[in-house]
Amino acid sequence: MIPPTIYYSKVGLELSKLVFQGRKMTPPDIAAFQSYLNPILHAVRNPSSLISGTPSSSAFTPEAILSRIRNMDRTQLVSAGVLTAEVLGFFTVGEMVGRLKLVGYNGDVHHHETATTHDGL
């Protein structure tokens, strides 16, 4: 019998392959990895550079973010909407599995009632 961890990891891998192929995605080349990892490695080697600020921090201002959203074309907006819906869906399913129910938390109602009765003197 296959342990559940191995089974679900294989299911997740196959699902990610289907999504990868359905969106016609390709893995990034080594130069893309290096361009993302070099700033992280630089920050780890020189933590004082994080405090002093970076020249690219202007890209995260609200005006810059709004201008990037306004300059997106329709296909990029639809793709971002679909991706947001996928992430929200996976998060919701994970919450349901984690709580073992569809709505709400498993709470102690009696504790809540006693806590509210002591507030009013």
Side-chain angles (χ1 to χ4, degrees), residues 2-89:
I2 298 174
T5 306
I6 294 173
Y7 173 76
Y8 286 113
S9 65
K10 288 183 179 183
V11 169
L13 179 66
E14 290 300 319
L15 180 63
S16 63
K17 285 181 185 177
L18 289 173
V19 170
F20 218 73
Q21 291 171 351
R23 290 183 159 256
K24 296 179 179 76
M25 298 170 67
T26 58
D29 57 349
I30 194 71
F33 278 115
Q34 288 175 344
S35 69
Y36 285 109
L37 289 178
N38 281 339
I40 295 170
L41 289 174
H42 177 69
V44 168
R45 290 180 184 146
N46 302 321
S48 61
S49 67
L50 293 174
I51 297 170
S52 66
T54 59
S56 66
S57 64
S58 64
F60 296 110
T61 62
E63 294 83 15
I65 293 171
L66 280 175
S67 68
R68 288 183 66 187
I69 292 172
R70 288 180 183 140
N71 292 333
M72 292 176 115
D73 62 352
R74 184 176 175 86
T75 57
Q76 288 175 326
L77 288 173
V78 169
S79 179
V82 168
L83 184 64
T84 302
E86 288 174 356
V87 168
L88 182 63

Side-chain angles (χ1 to χ4, degrees), residues 91-101 106:
F91 174 78
T92 304
V93 169
E95 285 287 313
M96 288 179 201
V97 168
R99 293 180 188 169
L100 298 176
K101 57 192 297 186
N106 294 329

